[in-house]
Amino acid sequence: MAQWQEITGGVTAPKGYQAAGIKAGLKPSGLPDLALIISDVEAIAAGVFTTSQVRAACVDYCRQNLQAKHGARAILCNAGQANAATGEQGVLDAVESAQLLAGELNISPKSILLASTGVIGQRIKMTAMARGIPQLVAELSPSASDAAAQAIVTTDLVTKSIALETTIGDRPVRIGGIAKGSGMIHPNMATMLAFVTTDAAISPHLWQEMLSRAADRSFNAITVDGDTSTNDCLIALANGQSRTHAITEKGQDADKLEAMLTAVCQHLAKAIARDGEGATCLIEVQVTGAQDEKSARQVAKTIVGSSLVKSAIFGRDPNWGRIAAAAGRAGVQFEQENLRIQLGDFLLMENGQPLQFDRPAASMYLKQASEGAYLKEDTVLILVNIGNGHGSGIAWGCDLSYDYVKINAEYTT
């Protein structure tokens, strides 16, 4: 029996959360561009952020608040302007955004976390922000997760949302999440933007540890184009409104909650990879036989991030040599005579030696995956074994199409 079940509601599925998403006039397109997630009570907050040395003002703002161990009540996200590389004025704009929302909600600015997405080098349109915040607060609803998910996207073709439910101490516990991301995806922490909520009661240090591990096994295991964003952030709130006992140490309940958190993050991460700009299919690389999980993930992510592998899959070319070459340059030690590569049901290489296989049928497998875009059967599965170790890992990505170049060549024009 499954440990949890999927439910509706996204970030407002857990008890004690509301959300909103509106058109504030931040995007030139006039589409929804301002989102808010709020907990009815102060929540434990955890976060993982970009490792880029060029960071948006919201990233440093959130880091400072989390390091100060403030509880959190709200997450405010604007789309349209990244507010990255905008100097001191960008920092002041971020602070003012928090102050404006704090005044409207009658809470402390220190209990507000911020996120931004859009064009690097552009400041937030503060006139539109100031005008939009009262409307945003007025639109808060326990059923508005979808509106918030829509308001955080940029080049995404679809919104990303999930909610799961399990039981702890015979009471229901829920985790919900929304995310955005399509291009500039090669996280060294999380992804473009992801927000997770739970009504579980948990200690701050355990929640942060769980989130960091979940990020490594999800958002840190995807790549679209090899570019890490200036604005990457994964923020998770836990408000305790399930009324279950507090999880303060490792054990069965902690393991169950972390497993569900990881499942939520993996669902959102795969949705981002599947929605890669111009992508026609999701690629999943499973690596086994490594010394440890980290090494296996490193090989998997190198393969799925290879422009040559991605291009071959888009061209429906079962070119196993590109997979072997990517595995070999991943920086993980293994003996090439142990290398085994399989594409779907097609075994291409074993014991470091090429095998005869039905090339037209393998090419058709890739073609069928591209025709199943946004369905479960759109996944191209690559299985790689590099030895006899116990380490295994998975990474996700997408193919590289002509449209990716077109979308990004015209991004600011």
Side-chain angles (χ1 to χ4, degrees):
M1 186 176 179
Q3 287 184 287
W4 52 75
Q5 62 179 345
E6 185 170 343
I7 58 175
T8 60
V11 290
T12 55
K15 289 184 179 180
Y17 291 96
Q18 299 182 72
I22 66 166
K23 301 175 183 178
L26 298 168
K27 289 181 181 175
S29 64
L31 293 171
D33 50 23
L34 192 59
L36 176 61
I37 301 167
I38 187 166
S39 172
D40 294 344
V41 298
E42 188 171 279
I44 299 299
V48 190
F49 302 92
T50 184
T51 59
S52 175
Q53 296 303 301
V54 181
R55 299 180 302 276
C58 57
V59 171
D60 289 338
Y61 181 91
C62 287
R63 278 177 170 160
Q64 290 168 5
N65 272 13
L66 291 176
Q67 287 170 359
K69 301 189 184 304
H70 298 303
R73 286 288 308 280
I75 302 170
L76 175 68
C77 178
N78 71 279
Q81 300 85 46
N83 200 28
T86 50
E88 183 61 29
Q89 189 57 53
V91 175
L92 295 176
D93 290 343
V95 172
E96 183 182 353
S97 298
Q99 290 173 339
L100 288 168
L101 179 61
E104 195 68 26
L105 293 172
N106 195 28
I107 62 176
S108 168
K110 294 180 180 179
S111 67
I112 296 170
L113 299 173
L114 303 175
S116 299
T117 183
V119 180
I120 295 171
Q122 291 188 4
R123 288 173 49 204
I124 300 170
K125 296 178 181 178
M126 291 308 297
T127 300
M129 174 69 81
R131 186 172 56 243
I133 281 178
Q135 179 190 350
L136 186 67
V137 172
E139 294 287 333
L140 279 168
S141 166
S143 59
S145 178
D146 288 346
Q150 186 63 56
I152 66 175
V153 303
T154 50
T155 59
D156 306 53
L157 296 178
V158 295
T159 57
K160 290 91 176 169
S161 178
I162 183 69
L164 301 177
E165 180 181 89
T166 190
T167 57
I168 292 179
D170 296 325
R171 294 185 64 87
V173 173
R174 297 172 175 180
I175 300 180
I178 60 173
K180 66 86 52 184
S182 184
M184 199 178 281
I185 305 294
H186 187 74
N188 292 315
M189 64 97 244
T191 182
M192 283 294 291
L193 298 177
F195 308 126
V196 175
T197 59
T198 185
D199 48 21
I202 186 168
S203 63
H205 76 278
L206 276 182
W207 189 228
Q208 181 62 58
E209 290 173 2
M210 286 182 184
L211 189 67
S212 296
R213 285 191 292 266
D216 280 342
R217 293 167 179 165
S218 58
F219 299 113
N220 274 346
I222 62 171
T223 181
V224 169
D225 47 24
D227 276 299
T228 297
S229 170
T230 56
N231 291 55
D232 290 346
C233 74
L234 166 61
I235 298 172
L237 304 181
N239 68 5
Q241 291 302 287
S242 63
R243 303 301 181 189
T244 55
H245 64 272
I247 300 173
T248 59
E249 57 186 22
K250 295 179 181 179
Q252 185 176 353
D253 291 341
D255 290 345
K256 181 184 283 192
L257 186 67
E258 182 172 346
M260 190 163 69
L261 173 64
T262 301
V264 165
C265 290
Q266 287 183 341
H267 175 94
L268 295 174
K270 287 192 285 185
I272 288 169
R274 178 178 280 112
D275 194 28
E277 290 170 340
T280 69
C281 63
L282 177 70
I283 304 170
E284 179 174 313
V285 179
Q286 299 180 9
V287 174
T288 56
Q291 182 177 353
D292 51 39
E293 180 184 349
K294 181 179 179 181
S295 298
R297 276 204 313 268
Q298 187 171 328
V299 175
K301 194 171 179 182
T302 302
I303 293 170
V304 84
S306 164
S307 294
L308 291 177
V309 172
K310 292 154 67 72
S311 298
I313 290 174
F314 174 69
R316 322 309 173 212
D317 179 11
N319 189 339
W320 60 264
R322 292 181 173 180
I323 299 171
R329 67 173 173 83
V332 173
Q333 185 71 33
F334 65 89
E335 300 299 328
Q336 62 177 332
E337 56 263 29
N338 292 329
L339 185 61
R340 184 181 191 274
I341 298 174
Q342 185 172 329
L343 175 66
D345 293 330
F346 300 91
L347 186 59
L348 311 181
M349 184 183 209
E350 191 163 31
N351 298 323
Q353 298 293 320
L355 300 176
Q356 294 293 324
F357 66 95
D358 189 338
R359 184 173 290 274
S363 182
M364 180 57 67
Y365 165 73
L366 296 174
K367 182 176 185 296
Q368 289 172 340
S370 71
E371 292 173 347
Y374 301 108
L375 301 175
K376 290 183 179 179
E377 58 265 28
D378 73 338
T379 304
V380 170
L381 182 61
I382 298 174
L383 305 173
V384 177
N385 184 272
I386 61 172
N388 300 313
H390 298 293
S392 62
I394 305 177
W396 297 274
C398 60
D399 59 345
L400 184 61
S401 72
Y402 308 131
D403 284 343
Y404 176 83
V405 177
K406 181 176 174 60
I407 290 166
N408 285 283
E410 301 171 355
Y411 185 65
T412 63
T413 58

